[in-house]
Amino acid sequence: MKYASEFRDKAIGLGLARAIRSEADPQRPYRFMEFCGGHTHAISRHGLEDMLPKNVRMIHGPGCPVCVLPAGRIDMAIRLAERPEVILCVYGDLMRVPGSQGASLLKAKARGAAVRMVYSTVDAIRIAEENPEHEVVFFAIGFETTTPPTAVMIRHAEKKQLENFSVFCNHVLTPPAMQKILESPDIRSIGRVEIDGFVGPAHVSIIIGTEPYEVFAKEFGKSVVISGFEPLDMMQAILMLVRQVNEHRNDVENQYSRAVTRDGNPRAREEVSDIFELRDAFEWRGLGFVPHSGLKLKQTYARFDAEVCFAMSELRVADNPACECGAILRGVKKPVDCKLFGTVCTPETPMGSCMVSSEGACAAHWTYGRFRDRQQKRAS
């Protein structure tokens, strides 16, 4: 299958759906969490849930790095951007993520803060070179996929001897968050989530490979299938998970074999390990503090660490109590379970991070309007 259209072949998709319906035992539930915002997006875009039997449930996990960033880290970035000597470089979907009391980087920019939207790490280096009188800070965020470009950027800054450049590091790791969910499935204030298996992230797995997920199969007894982003990828991965459950197997299988290997990308991992080290813990929205899940710059590169250069203090702030982002990110609730969804919380007026990023579960549900079809059917 060489072309995108082949990964969206309707006849094959319907055949996979029939196979899932015929092989799924109607007497038991199948609960699979997709741990990737791209997968959540694909499920909503192509209406895949409508092709599954009712007892096969897809659970949206914390697979959006913008969504899981706690409000306190946004507040820290806003304070940094408001310093007169600082130019803060950020990716576009971070601009509207709510901090505390409705604050955002976009609003800070409107008040005069020097916040620049960039498309790549190269843009941030260029801005630092063009503005030697300012301190240019890159707001680094993302899972294992976007960490290697940040590492390469720091090497370039070192090579160019940039003295006005630093990084506000918010890179986080996927496996520790998966482990956190499995080790603490019952959160009294949010609810309980039951999981039979994971649809493993695609881009992340290109970097880290399939090996890091083996612990979930061996020690936690959970099936994992790494999947691509196309609808046939997802349907095939779900069928593979159904078969594992039926056969009482707990394996790590690689549906996305055209891009993912067991060892991943050793060169990229080496770049990351040379520049970064693990934090003892990092706060995730919806998960709280997750041990060894965040990265920071090694002491060797402390001169490029904004938290060191500007003596930044860690901030912890409470989420909007009416917003259900935390429960949605844990998979306990769906976007439509939030009273704010589609009313006061829309992409134009986001109350929570899940509605901001295109990878967020709320944004995906809103964009493709699947919930509207169901609401209309119930009303009629």
Side-chain angles (χ1 to χ4, degrees):
M1 298 173 70
K2 300 178 181 179
Y3 307 102
S5 60
E6 293 179 274
F7 289 90
R8 303 178 184 182
D9 185 281
K10 181 178 180 179
I12 298 177
L14 292 174
L16 289 169
R18 285 193 296 270
I20 293 171
R21 287 195 298 270
S22 66
E23 296 188 34
D25 182 354
Q27 302 303 314
R28 63 147 300 156
Y30 297 80
R31 298 154 298 200
F32 305 132
M33 174 177 281
E34 82 271 3
F35 210 96
C36 177
H39 289 154
T40 300
H41 180 91
I43 289 170
S44 293
R45 178 182 182 183
H46 300 288
L48 301 187
E49 285 185 304
D50 297 336
M51 301 175 69
L52 302 176
K54 291 183 179 181
N55 61 322
V56 178
R57 178 190 169 202
M58 300 307 298
I59 302 169
H60 311 311
C64 165
V66 171
C67 302
V68 301
L69 192 68
R73 300 293 286 189
I74 296 295
D75 282 6
M76 291 170 66
I78 292 172
R79 290 188 181 185
L80 187 60
E82 289 174 340
R83 296 175 67 117
E85 75 275 21
V86 168
I87 296 175
L88 184 68
C89 297
V90 305
Y91 292 131
D93 52 359
L94 276 170
M95 296 287 285
R96 296 186 302 119
V97 177
S100 62
Q101 299 179 347
S104 70
L105 287 167
L106 185 62
K107 292 178 180 178
K109 179 178 175 65
R111 293 193 302 267
V115 181
R116 302 274 190 92
M117 187 178 74
V118 296
Y119 293 96
S120 71
T121 56
V122 176
D123 292 339
I125 292 289
R126 175 182 53 78
I127 291 171
E129 291 178 311
E130 294 174 351
N131 296 272
E133 72 284 2
H134 285 86
E135 294 291 332
V136 176
V137 181
F138 176 69
F139 194 151
I141 188 172
F143 296 137
E144 293 90 340
T145 313
T146 57
T147 309
T150 303
V152 172
M153 174 182 62
I154 292 171
R155 287 205 185 278
H156 282 321
E158 182 181 44
K159 184 177 180 180
K160 292 174 178 290
Q161 298 182 340
L162 290 178
E163 298 181 357
N164 66 325
F165 180 79
S166 59
V167 172
F168 178 41
C169 184
N170 294 273
H171 285 300
V172 291
L173 306 177
T174 302
M178 296 172 68
Q179 182 170 337
K180 175 76 171 183
I181 289 176
L182 293 176
E183 289 180 336
S184 56
D186 192 1
I187 302 298
R188 184 171 299 176
S189 61
I190 296 179
R192 183 174 180 83
V193 57
E194 296 282 358
I195 299 172
D196 297 304
F198 290 99
V199 177
H203 289 156
V204 165
S205 301
I206 291 174
I207 302 297
I208 68 174
T210 64
E211 188 273 335
Y213 306 109
E214 292 174 5
V215 65
F216 303 116
K218 295 176 181 178
E219 297 187 16
F220 290 91
K222 302 299 180 183
S223 306
V224 181
V225 175
I226 312 301
S227 172
F229 293 109
E230 295 297 334
L232 296 191
D233 288 326
M234 290 296 298
M235 294 298 286
Q236 185 179 29
I238 294 168
L239 178 59
M240 292 165 73
L241 284 169
V242 167
R243 287 173 174 171
Q244 282 204 44
V245 171
N246 289 347
E247 297 166 10
H248 305 286
R249 291 187 294 115
N250 302 121
D251 298 324
V252 177
E253 294 184 304
N254 182 14
Q255 184 277 335
Y256 200 33
S257 58
R258 62 185 185 275
V260 173
T261 64
R262 185 176 187 273
D263 297 327
N265 187 326
R267 176 66 183 276
R269 296 203 315 273
E270 182 180 350
E271 284 289 340
V272 170
S273 65
D274 285 347
I275 303 293
F276 297 99
E277 63 184 8
L278 287 174
R279 298 177 188 259
D280 291 336
F282 193 83
E283 185 181 6
W284 292 54
R285 192 185 300 254
L287 299 183
F289 280 91
V290 181
H292 309 300
S293 66
L295 297 177
K296 63 179 180 179
L297 275 67
K298 288 184 174 179
Q299 184 62 36
T300 309
Y301 298 96
R303 64 190 182 279
F304 296 113
D305 188 338
E307 293 181 68
V308 174
C309 296
F310 297 96
M312 298 174 67
S313 299
E314 191 75 30
L315 296 178
R316 291 198 67 189
V317 299
D319 291 332
N320 183 336
C323 176
E324 298 283 7
C325 270
I328 292 168
L329 288 166
R330 285 189 64 87
V332 175
K333 294 186 177 181
K334 294 183 177 182
V336 292
D337 296 327
C338 179
K339 295 179 181 179
L340 303 184
F341 178 80
T343 55
V344 296
C345 184
T346 68
E348 289 73 30
T349 58
M351 302 299 293
S353 58
C354 297
M355 186 61 88
V356 177
S357 173
S358 61
E359 293 190 346
C362 293
H365 275 63
W366 176 269
T367 299
Y368 299 107
R370 301 291 174 186
F371 67 97
R372 299 190 186 98
D373 295 337
R374 289 191 288 272
Q375 287 176 339
Q376 290 171 358
K377 288 179 181 178
R378 285 198 296 265
S380 60

